[in-house]
Amino acid sequence: MFTVYHFIWLAVCAVLIAGTLVFLKQRRPPLKSVLSVCCVLCVLSELVKDLSVIKMVPSSDGSMLLPYMEMQHLPFHLCSIQILLIFFVRFARPGRGRTTVLAFMYPTALIGAALAQAMPSIFSTSIEVSQAFTHPLAYQFFLYHSMLVVLGAYIPLCGEVELRPKHYFSTLGILGAMAMASLYLNSMFAAATYEDGELISVEYATNFFFTYKPPLPIPLTSVGQWLIYLAVICLLAAALIGLCYLPVFLKARKKAAAGR
């Protein structure tokens, strides 16, 4: 993180994102067509990721080798969950549910993927910084998240999704539910050590939604500190999503004033 290789990747992604958005803004393709392309890219991205991280590990009796993917690669991070949402909105019929999901994807794909690129977890969990341009996982990570930024930005630009102030609150609700689920998933995939029935230590293999520990090296030594950390990230999420929805609120306010 914050190395020369990282800044090069950020520059490359910025150029790709800007160029793609300019192209989309000029051509204005239907959102359905953009989602179709995203579906294909999602499948290719997951294939590259899986083939890059899967390992052949001996069985417990040593009689055979079995394919194994470490738990931090499971698709329970917010950006990975976007894959399911992309397929849903691509094939779902127009309606309230589809609009709610698109309204959720708008800020979470845009901001979430941008933050992931700014703080790439792969350099601390999967590959070395020196492999930033030699390992397929680095290309998969930065290009996939660039696609999410473009998609998130295009949802309001396409003119097909009617975003309303209520979607700000539904987005916070969905995000909160996912964050709550991550608490269970992170504990479920943790390796706990017991002595005489007493919990001695725990080793976390996952950090979905960063509810286990901060993405930055900030130690948490008590429940109180962890609760403060959760409160900070909740407030930060509400503020960043609110920033995305600020034009929606202003538009609704202007419309209400004009109707008086």
Side-chain angles (χ1 to χ4, degrees):
M1 189 186 301
F2 307 126
T3 64
V4 173
Y5 294 128
H6 181 200
F7 286 119
I8 293 174
W9 261 120
L10 290 179
V12 170
C13 292
V15 171
L16 286 175
I17 291 169
T20 305
L21 285 176
V22 168
F23 172 82
L24 292 176
K25 191 172 182 180
Q26 291 177 343
R27 297 297 182 90
R28 292 293 178 115
L31 181 59
K32 188 174 182 179
S33 299
V34 175
L35 289 169
S36 296
V37 174
C38 289
C39 286
V40 174
L41 294 178
C42 284
V43 172
L44 292 175
S45 172
E46 282 301 293
L47 284 174
V48 171
K49 186 191 77 173
D50 294 347
L51 294 176
S52 298
V53 301
I54 202 163
K55 301 175 182 178
M56 297 302 293
V57 182
S59 59
S60 57
D61 59 5
S63 62
M64 65 179 71
L65 294 178
L66 300 172
Y68 180 72
M69 186 183 301
E70 294 182 276
M71 292 180 182
Q72 66 262 29
H73 301 297
L74 297 179
F76 294 123
H77 283 291
L78 178 58
C79 290
S80 297
I81 294 173
Q82 299 284 356
I83 296 174
L84 298 178
L85 302 183
I86 288 170
F87 274 88
F88 171 78
V89 295
R90 168 58 182 81
F91 296 101
R93 293 181 178 180
R96 184 180 301 176
R98 182 176 183 269
T99 300
T100 299
V101 174
L102 283 168
F104 171 80
M105 293 170 63
Y106 155 49
T108 56
L110 177 61
I111 298 174
L115 289 176
Q117 289 179 324
M119 298 179 289
S121 58
I122 55 169
F123 291 144
S124 59
T125 61
S126 304
I127 64 175
E128 300 293 332
V129 175
S130 59
Q131 297 176 296
F133 289 97
T134 59
H135 200 289
L137 195 60
Y139 290 86
Q140 180 272 334
F141 180 90
F142 283 102
L143 295 180
Y144 169 70
H145 286 88
S146 294
M147 181 203 75
L148 288 184
V149 172
V150 170
L151 177 60
Y154 192 63
I155 288 173
L157 288 177
C158 69
E160 300 178 33
V161 184
E162 187 180 358
L163 298 174
R164 297 181 179 180
K166 67 177 183 179
H167 290 132
Y168 169 72
F169 301 101
S170 64
T171 295
L172 290 181
I174 295 172
L175 189 61
M178 289 183 174
M180 180 64 71
S182 75
L183 296 176
Y184 298 104
L185 289 171
N186 286 330
S187 294
M188 185 187 305
F189 293 124
T193 300
Y194 288 86
E195 288 185 7
D196 299 325
E198 183 179 354
L199 181 62
I200 302 299
S201 64
V202 64
E203 184 69 28
Y204 277 87
T206 64
N207 190 21
F208 303 131
F209 280 65
F210 298 105
T211 51
Y212 153 51
K213 65 178 182 179
L216 299 175
I218 303 173
L220 303 176
T221 58
S222 68
V223 173
Q225 290 182 357
W226 177 69
L227 290 175
I228 292 173
Y229 162 67
L230 287 185
V232 169
I233 61 174
C234 287
L235 290 174
L236 183 61
L240 291 175
I241 293 173
L243 188 62
C244 286
Y245 269 94
L246 183 59
V248 177
F249 280 104
L250 293 176
K251 182 179 179 181
R253 183 178 179 180
K254 184 177 180 180
K255 185 177 180 180
R260 292 176 183 174

